[in-house]
């Protein structure tokens, strides 16, 4: 396609599948990634596929600007991801998620990048008044964690008139699951499946609370769909990324996993104070961009179970597979 795309965090959980699908589309792909979680094997593999991998931190001014130079579009995935990781070191979370993002978009505007896609989260919706009614992109944002607060503030910045020339798009991803090169077992579906497959005791807090879910490869395809779309359909827009029938309570997840693996002990711990409880509509991305996910949560459970049976990960409980080692 002759287009050069910079993917920050391009060797990460979503980033590696995204880099692969963008390469398959004929694009030139440049990756900026600090390899925080030891993904040198993934970086080398992506280089073998044709990606230009820059092993550097988003906060490195020289490396960031060099990576942006000549890029037609940017997909900004790099972040300290998730509530626990941000809460553990709020200073670093601010440096990366807020200041790093500010510097990236300012440099992108100065250099003349024509498009930016920002990875955000459905966690921005927080706890809804009535979680049984799916919320749309126009619904109220009520972040209840530092991570979500940072995502909301950066959405506002990127979508402001100040950066209109970047033709920005914000994508609020559902909770991601599924097997990927940089595997994560600190995500709900993946963690629950691993623990019950391993016949371990699983404590489930707030089994009645709703969340939406999306497979990691569908998340990557959603980004590619935005980049493939005409700019007049995506500029200045927010898209929830997922599928409307893939909203689940934790209890529903556990029941499906137990149906498939047939083992593991579950203890439900009642919680009424968890502020995150949301059911999300994904009609907009379907109607406007004709995006449809390929995987369902049961598909993902089957995939992870089979991979565990094949011993794809030597120690699935190891620190490499968590964002907080």
């Amino acid at each position: 396609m002759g287009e050069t795309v910079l993917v920050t965090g391009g060797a990460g959980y979503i980033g590696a599948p995204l880099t692969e699908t963008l390469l398959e589309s004929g694009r030139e792909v440049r990756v900026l990634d600090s390899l925080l979680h030891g993904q040198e094997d993934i970086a080398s593999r992506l280089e073998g596929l044709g990606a230009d991998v820059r092993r550097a931190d988003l906060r490195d001014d020289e490396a960031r600007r060099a990576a942006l130079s000549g890029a037609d579009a940017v997909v900004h995935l790099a972040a300290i991801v998730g509530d626990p990781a941000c809460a553990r070191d709020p200073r670093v979370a601010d440096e990366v998620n807020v200041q790093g993002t500010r510097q990236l978009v300012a440099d992108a505007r100065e250099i003349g990048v024509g498009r930016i896609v920002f990875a955000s989260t459905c966690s921005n919706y927080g706890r809804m008044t009535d979680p049984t009614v799916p919320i749309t992109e126009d619904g109220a944002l009520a972040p209840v964690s530092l991570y979500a607060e940072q995502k909301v503030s950066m959405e506002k910045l990127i979508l402001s008139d100040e950066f209109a020339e970047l033709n920005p798009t914000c994508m609020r991803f559902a909770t991601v699951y599924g097997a990927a090169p940089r595997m994560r077992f600190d995500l709900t579906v993946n963690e629950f499946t691993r623990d019950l497959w391993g016949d371990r005791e699983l404590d489930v807090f707030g089994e009645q609370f709703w969340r939406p879910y999306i497979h990691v490869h569908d998340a990557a395809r959603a980004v590619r769909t935005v980049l493939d779309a005409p700019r007049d359909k995506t500029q200045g827009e927010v898209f929830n990324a997922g599928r409307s029938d893939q909203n689940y309570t934790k209890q529903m997840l556990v029941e499906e996993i137990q149906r498939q693996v047939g083992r593991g002990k579950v203890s439900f711990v009642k919680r009424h104070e968890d502020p995150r409880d949301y059911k999300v509509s994904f009609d907009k991305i379907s109607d406007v961009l004709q995006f449809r996910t390929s995987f369902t949560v049961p598909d993902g459970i089957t995939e992870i179970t089979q991979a565990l049976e094949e011993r794809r990960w030597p120690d699935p409980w190891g620190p490499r597979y968590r964002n907080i080692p």
Side-chain angles (χ1 to χ4, degrees):
M1 297 181 68
E3 182 181 49
T4 298
V5 180
L6 169 64
V7 182
T8 71
Y13 183 53
I14 298 174
L18 173 61
T19 297
E20 291 186 32
T21 191
L22 292 179
L23 287 168
E24 290 167 1
S25 74
R27 292 174 167 92
E28 298 290 327
V29 183
R30 193 177 296 157
V31 169
L32 180 66
D33 200 304
S34 65
L35 308 183
L36 178 65
H37 303 288
Q39 319 98 289
E40 180 57 44
D41 55 337
I42 297 170
S44 297
R45 179 173 177 275
L46 293 175
E47 287 177 320
L49 294 173
D52 174 7
V53 179
R54 314 285 181 94
R55 295 160 174 80
D57 196 294
L58 177 70
R59 295 168 290 178
D60 182 327
D61 293 343
E62 184 177 350
R64 183 181 63 250
R65 290 173 185 143
L68 282 166
S69 180
D72 300 295
V74 175
V75 179
H76 183 32
L77 298 174
I80 303 299
V81 176
D83 303 347
C86 289
R88 182 185 189 190
D89 196 333
R91 180 186 61 81
V92 172
D94 179 74
E95 288 179 0
V96 176
N97 297 355
V98 178
Q99 304 309 322
T101 298
R102 287 182 184 276
Q103 293 160 350
L104 177 75
V105 295
D107 288 346
R109 181 186 58 189
E110 181 180 340
I111 288 168
V113 172
R115 197 173 205 173
I116 187 165
V117 179
F118 177 61
S120 193
T121 172
C122 284
S123 293
N124 293 354
Y125 297 120
R127 185 164 194 169
M128 296 165 53
T129 303
D130 184 359
T132 64
V133 178
I135 194 167
T136 69
E137 289 83 351
D138 296 325
L141 301 181
V144 295
S145 68
L146 177 60
Y147 177 62
E149 288 172 357
Q150 291 172 338
K151 288 296 185 181
V152 169
S153 67
M154 291 301 96
E155 279 191 21
K156 291 177 180 177
L157 174 75
I158 291 168
L159 294 174
S160 69
D161 291 342
E162 183 180 359
F163 295 103
E165 61 202 85
L166 290 175
N167 297 290
T169 306
C170 293
M171 305 191 70
R172 294 178 187 153
F173 289 105
T175 301
V176 188
Y177 66 90
R182 196 255 134 168
M183 189 57 185
R184 287 183 61 188
F185 280 110
D186 55 355
L187 295 165
T188 308
V189 174
N190 299 354
E191 179 185 14
F192 285 10
T193 302
R194 176 201 63 186
D195 286 356
L196 293 179
W197 169 84
D199 202 19
R200 298 198 176 189
E201 185 168 341
L202 176 66
D203 291 329
V204 177
F205 296 89
E207 73 274 13
Q208 75 275 24
F209 295 125
W210 287 92
R211 303 280 194 284
Y213 295 90
I214 186 172
H215 192 281
V216 61
H217 288 285
D218 282 327
R221 282 199 315 107
V223 175
R224 177 176 166 180
T225 297
V226 168
L227 292 174
D228 287 346
R231 290 187 184 182
D232 61 358
K233 289 189 174 183
T234 63
Q235 60 188 15
E237 296 291 340
V238 177
F239 291 99
N240 293 332
R243 191 164 107 189
S244 293
D245 66 359
Q246 293 301 292
N247 286 281
Y248 285 77
T249 65
K250 292 181 183 179
Q251 182 164 350
M252 292 164 67
L253 293 179
V254 166
E255 290 171 353
E256 176 59 29
I257 296 167
Q258 288 185 313
R259 186 188 69 79
Q260 291 199 33
V261 305
R263 57 180 179 265
K265 181 180 178 182
V266 180
S267 298
F268 292 110
V269 182
K270 283 292 182 184
R271 273 197 176 172
H272 299 287
E273 71 279 9
D274 189 336
R276 295 164 300 170
D277 187 17
Y278 47 91
K279 198 172 184 181
V280 178
S281 169
F282 300 94
D283 292 347
K284 180 178 176 180
I285 197 169
S286 175
D287 295 342
V288 175
L289 302 180
Q290 288 72 58
F291 174 75
R292 310 285 191 278
T293 61
S294 299
F295 296 87
T296 64
V297 166
D299 295 334
I301 293 167
T302 301
E303 172 193 47
I304 295 165
T305 301
Q306 290 176 347
L308 288 166
E309 292 285 350
E310 295 165 1
R311 300 299 191 268
R312 185 179 303 178
W313 305 287
D315 177 15
W317 286 272
R320 180 177 182 178
Y321 306 115
R322 299 192 300 270
N323 273 0
I324 299 183

